[in-house]
Amino acid sequence: MYDRDFVKRAITSPFVSFLSEDDVRQELVDGYKNSIRSAIVAPGQCDLINDIKEKYDNGYSRTGMVIGYPYGGMSTNMKVYLVRYAREKHIDEVDVGFNVTAAASKDFDKVREEMKLIMEAAGGEVKIIPMLWMVKFPFEIVDELCKIYVELGITSVKTSAGIHFGRMQVEHIEWLHNNWGDKLEIEVAGKVRSRETAEKMIDAGARFFHMGSWRRLGGIGQDIQFDFDTKETKYGEYKEAE
């Protein structure tokens, strides 16, 4: 499976990688040239990604934006404002950080009301993809979140945040697919660093992967790596952070 099919499952987020604007632009250009599923940027980079999509549109790759990443700590009003901003910028999809504190307090009514307002603001023009935080929450809370999302007409979920927030397990994907796979498309995030693990997750029901190592896992080259010792960010061989 080391081919373009796997690359088409990749979702990149270069804005979180301590890159210069030139590096972010190059990552977006390379992503569109190789037909990744989508690229996610910060709100202030919407003009940049739209410019790149105009020049390198492949008819497949989507534009994306984050809101309340990663813990959903923004006010509801700010999230709603940013969803409307995404619509104005003609962004295809938005990764939404739900109110993690409310979920941890089992105040699911608060989570539901906020997501309802977000969906209304999207107006069917922007796809809303909320997180679940499966690396932090027990399945009981994840189950309640999925119920809310399905009730509101949400059709895709992001399992967790990436970077250093925890490592997703194949068992997480198996549980999510077995319980909600007929209603929710699964986008995996959370330190999927090997092709073997990714393929097991695909077999378990995962559809897409938020990843910075999309070239390496797709077998088409080296990705940008951050060296924790030298504080350098550059293309090179993958090295697991200690």
Side-chain angles (χ1 to χ4, degrees):
M1 257 184 81
Y2 278 85
D3 53 31
R4 300 289 170 172
D5 178 67
F6 188 84
V7 173
K8 285 188 174 183
R9 296 178 183 271
I11 302 169
T12 67
S13 304
F15 76 96
V16 298
S17 302
F18 299 97
L19 305 181
S20 68
E21 186 168 331
D22 287 343
D23 288 335
V24 171
R25 176 179 288 275
Q26 189 60 55
E27 281 292 287
L28 295 174
V29 169
D30 285 354
Y32 274 87
K33 283 184 175 180
N34 285 281
S35 297
I36 58 174
R37 204 300 293 277
S38 58
I40 311 297
V41 298
Q45 296 171 319
C46 288
D47 290 338
L48 172 62
I49 197 172
N50 281 334
D51 176 63
I52 289 168
K53 182 175 182 178
E54 183 178 353
K55 293 176 181 176
Y56 299 98
D57 190 17
N58 53 44
Y60 174 76
S61 299
R62 310 176 198 172
T63 58
M65 190 185 92
V66 291
I67 292 177
Y69 179 91
Y71 292 116
M74 289 181 174
S75 69
T76 300
N77 286 342
M78 180 58 71
K79 292 178 184 178
V80 168
Y81 169 82
L82 286 173
V83 171
R84 291 171 179 161
Y85 175 80
R87 286 178 63 178
E88 292 174 5
K89 293 295 183 179
H90 304 290
I91 297 298
D92 298 315
E93 59 193 33
V94 173
D95 281 8
V96 175
F98 66 94
N99 189 328
V100 172
T101 303
S105 305
K106 297 186 178 181
D107 188 350
F108 297 112
D109 287 340
K110 182 177 288 186
V111 175
R112 180 182 293 102
E113 182 59 27
E114 179 175 89
M115 293 305 304
K116 179 175 180 290
L117 293 173
I118 287 171
M119 288 294 288
E120 290 174 353
E125 296 181 19
V126 180
K127 184 171 184 176
I128 300 299
I129 305 174
M131 287 195 289
L132 289 172
W133 274 109
M134 295 191 77
V135 298
K136 302 290 186 183
F137 280 133
F139 288 155
E140 290 80 4
I141 289 181
V142 173
D143 196 51
E144 291 297 327
L145 293 172
C146 288
K147 288 178 184 177
I148 292 169
Y149 296 160
V150 170
E151 288 172 7
L152 295 176
I154 290 166
T155 57
S156 296
V157 287
K158 181 178 179 181
T159 59
S160 291
I163 317 178
H164 309 296
F165 294 105
R167 189 182 297 276
M168 284 294 299
Q169 305 295 324
V170 175
E171 291 77 13
H172 293 145
I173 307 304
E174 290 174 340
W175 181 90
L176 186 58
H177 178 70
N178 289 337
N179 288 276
W180 294 98
D182 59 332
K183 298 179 178 66
L184 293 170
E185 189 173 62
I186 301 171
E187 297 188 2
V188 182
K191 299 185 73 173
V192 179
R193 299 290 192 256
S194 76
R195 182 58 182 258
E196 180 184 10
T197 298
E199 289 187 351
K200 288 180 179 179
M201 288 181 172
I202 291 170
D203 292 341
R207 185 73 185 278
F208 301 109
F209 294 84
H210 294 249
M211 59 174 60
S213 301
W214 61 276
R215 294 180 187 82
R216 181 174 65 85
L217 269 66
I220 63 172
Q222 294 180 339
D223 300 289
I224 289 181
Q225 306 295 332
F226 179 76
D227 190 311
F228 287 86
D229 295 324
T230 65
K231 303 298 187 290
E232 290 183 320
T233 305
K234 59 184 179 181
Y235 291 92
E237 294 286 344
Y238 174 72
K239 179 181 177 182
E240 182 70 69
E242 296 180 357

